[in-house]
Amino acid sequence: MSEAEPRRVGVREVARLAGVSTQTVSRVINDHPNIRPETRERVRAAMAALDYRVNNAARALGTRTTRTLGVIASDATLYGPSAGIAAVDAAAREAGRWTATAYADAGDAVSVDAAARRLLTQGVDGLIVIAPHAGSLSALAAAHPDVPLAALHAGEGAACQAEGAALAVEHLLALGHRRIARIAGPADWIEAVARDAGVDRALEAAGVMPGPRWSGDWTAAAGAALAADVAAAISSPEGPTAVAVANDQMALGLTAGLRAAGVSVARDVSVTGFDDTPDAAFYTPALTTVGLDLDGEARRVVAAVLSGDSVAPAAPALRVRASTAAPR
C-alpha cells in the first residue's frame, strides 16, 4: 500500500514559523506595499523552509489577479519567436509574474483569438503576442478591448526593427556599395514590414535607388532557394554588389547557396543579416548582422501590460564580421 501524500503546507504553518499573523503572510504573498522589509524577508524565508507553494487559484479569488501573463506565440521553430518567448518569460519573472503560453497561427485571426480566449479562461492578467501579424493583432485588440495587450516588436519595437535594418544598409553604403539588393521577410509580419521600411529609409537618405527585391519565409531553406536568382542578378553588368537579408537564417541559406553556385560572399557580393543569432559568428563567412536588445524589448511589453508604462529598449547594434567588404 502506497504511503499517503503529505498534507500541503498552508498559510497558518508559514505564519507560525515566521511569528506573524496569517494576514501578514497573505500580504507578503500579494506584494502588499505596507510590509516592513525585515518582516517580508522573514515570511519569505519561512515559505522557503516549508516549501510553501502559492495557490494561484485561491489568490485570484481574493485579489482578482493570478499574477500570470498570457503569451500568444507562433512559429517557435524560428530563432526570433523562440528567443522572444524566452525573453518575455524572463522579463515576467523579473516583474514577479509567471507566463502561460498558447500557440496559434499568427496569420489567422480566428486562431489567435481562440488562443486568447483559452488564456483568458485561465484568468491571465494581460496578453503579450509574439511574432505578431498586423491583421491578427488589430482583430485581437478589437475583440478584447478591456484586456491589457502588447506585442513584441510592434509600436516602439517596430521602430527599433527599422533602425536596425537601416544600420545594416548604412554599413554597406559606407563600404562603397550603391547597388544593394534585399531579401525581405513575409509581408504580413510586422517585423518584416519594419525591416523593409528601414532599408528603404537608408537608401532614400543616401539618394540610392533600391536594387532587386526578393522575399522569403524567414527560414534558411528560403534563402537557399533564392540563391540561384541572386547569383544570376549578381552576374549581370549592373547587378547588385550587396544583399541586405531580413534575418540571419535566410542569410545562412543564401550564403550556402551562393557558395554552391561559385559566388564568394564578401569577395563577389556582401551579405548582411538581422538578429545576431548565437550561430551568426560561426557562419562561413562569419555574418555581419544587427543585434536587438531583446531583453529590453521584453521588459517593455511586460511593463506595458502591467502598468501601461513605456520602457524603451536599447538601440540596435551592428555586428561587423567577414561577410561584408568593399565592392570589387
Side-chain angles (χ1 to χ4, degrees):
M1 191 166 86
S2 62
E3 295 183 3
E5 290 187 6
R7 186 174 70 84
R8 182 169 177 169
V9 173
V11 169
R12 286 178 182 151
E13 288 82 358
V14 174
R16 189 178 303 118
L17 180 60
V20 298
S21 68
T22 56
Q23 185 180 33
T24 297
V25 174
S26 179
R27 286 177 174 174
V28 170
I29 291 171
N30 291 304
D31 287 339
H32 195 284
N34 296 329
I35 299 289
R36 288 182 297 179
E38 58 270 23
T39 302
R40 190 184 305 275
E41 186 60 34
R42 196 162 71 248
V43 170
R44 287 177 174 169
M47 291 167 65
L50 294 171
D51 193 25
Y52 173 78
R53 298 175 187 177
V54 177
N55 185 332
N56 273 335
R59 176 163 62 181
L61 291 174
T63 66
R64 296 186 179 181
T65 175
T66 61
R67 303 186 67 78
T68 301
L69 301 179
V71 176
I72 301 174
S74 65
D75 302 291
T77 57
L78 297 173
Y79 171 78
S82 64
I85 293 167
V88 167
D89 183 68
R93 284 188 281 108
E94 187 178 284
R97 303 299 195 272
W98 300 100
T99 60
T101 304
Y103 291 87
D105 177 355
D108 180 353
V110 174
S111 175
V112 171
D113 187 58
R117 291 181 185 279
R118 188 159 64 249
L119 290 167
L120 291 172
T121 60
Q122 299 175 31
V124 297
D125 301 330
L127 296 171
I128 294 173
V129 184
I130 309 290
H133 292 216
S136 299
L137 186 60
S138 59
L140 184 62
H144 306 281
D146 298 325
V147 176
L149 173 67
L152 203 69
H153 301 317
E156 291 179 61
C160 285
Q161 300 272 327
E163 182 181 351
L167 280 178
V169 174
E170 288 163 0
H171 167 66
L172 294 171
L173 291 167
L175 288 173
H177 295 279
R178 292 298 179 271
R179 301 194 303 273
I180 300 173
R182 82 185 82 177
I183 297 178
D188 54 349
W189 283 60
I190 291 176
E191 292 172 71
V193 172
R195 294 178 189 187
D196 214 26
V199 172
D200 285 333
R201 185 177 75 194
L203 292 174
E204 183 179 359
V208 173
M209 290 291 294
R213 182 184 184 280
W214 300 271
S215 62
D217 64 1
W218 299 123
T219 65
L226 291 169
D229 290 344
V230 175
I234 292 168
S235 67
S236 65
E238 294 300 316
T241 60
V243 184
V245 186
N247 77 328
D248 290 355
Q249 286 174 285
M250 289 195 296
L252 170 63
L254 176 66
T255 55
L258 290 176
R259 187 165 57 249
V263 177
S264 173
V265 172
R267 188 188 67 193
D268 299 327
V269 63
S270 289
V271 174
T272 62
F274 198 113
D275 285 330
D276 194 23
T277 62
D279 297 335
F282 303 98
Y283 287 5
T284 303
L287 183 66
T288 294
T289 185
V290 173
L292 294 173
D293 177 19
L294 188 55
D295 292 337
E297 173 66 359
R299 292 188 190 100
R300 181 186 72 81
V301 293
V302 167
V305 166
L306 293 178
S307 63
D309 290 342
S310 178
V311 180
L318 181 71
R319 316 291 188 200
V320 178
R321 300 189 180 108
S323 69
T324 52
R328 294 173 66 184

